[in-house]
Amino acid sequence: VHASLSGLKALCTRMCTDGIEESRKCCGGHGYLLSSGIPELLGYALQHCTAEGDNYVMAQQASRFLLKTLSLPPKKQSMLKGDCAYLARAASLATARCTATSVQ
């Protein structure tokens, strides 16, 4: 659970701040105006990238968990359940190729 939440926190806060920044850019110079509300929103959202754990550390914790799980013996990998069940098929997924022949 900790690894999933660590990765989710890093992803969501990054996507949120990136979205706000993109909105500010789309507004041009008006995005800098306090009346737009964007500067206040960005200031509020940016603090969540470091609150309760810096995003870099949180992403590293999630990555560490995934790498540790991949290094398990195949017998233990086959016992994975839930969100990590796909890791048991990591070797076959790494060599899989797209079989699409046309755009639909």
Side-chain angles (χ1 to χ4, degrees):
V1 173
H2 175 74
S4 296
L5 292 178
S6 294
L8 188 61
K9 188 255 181 195
L11 175 69
C12 290
T13 55
R14 178 64 185 258
M15 288 178 67
C16 180
T17 55
D18 286 351
I20 295 169
E21 179 64 14
E22 191 65 28
S23 298
R24 184 197 58 76
K25 289 177 184 177
C26 289
C27 291
H30 297 289
Y32 288 105
L33 296 175
L34 288 177
S35 60
S36 72
I38 294 176
E40 182 182 355
L41 186 61
L42 188 59
Y44 176 75
L46 280 175
Q47 69 182 341
H48 294 291
C49 291
T50 53
E52 299 176 7
D54 185 65
N55 271 6
Y56 294 110
V57 174
M58 301 301 267
Q60 286 174 353
Q61 287 177 352
S63 300
R64 180 177 180 262
F65 170 76
L66 292 172
L67 290 172
K68 256 178 104 172
T69 304
L70 280 173
S71 68
L72 289 173
K75 186 175 181 180
K76 287 191 177 184
Q77 281 185 5
S78 64
M79 296 169 32
L80 293 172
K81 303 275 189 250
D83 295 339
C84 295
Y86 73 96
L87 292 173
R89 302 185 333 265
S92 64
L93 291 173
T95 59
R97 298 287 178 241
C98 179
T99 58
T101 57
S102 64
V103 178
Q104 292 184 339

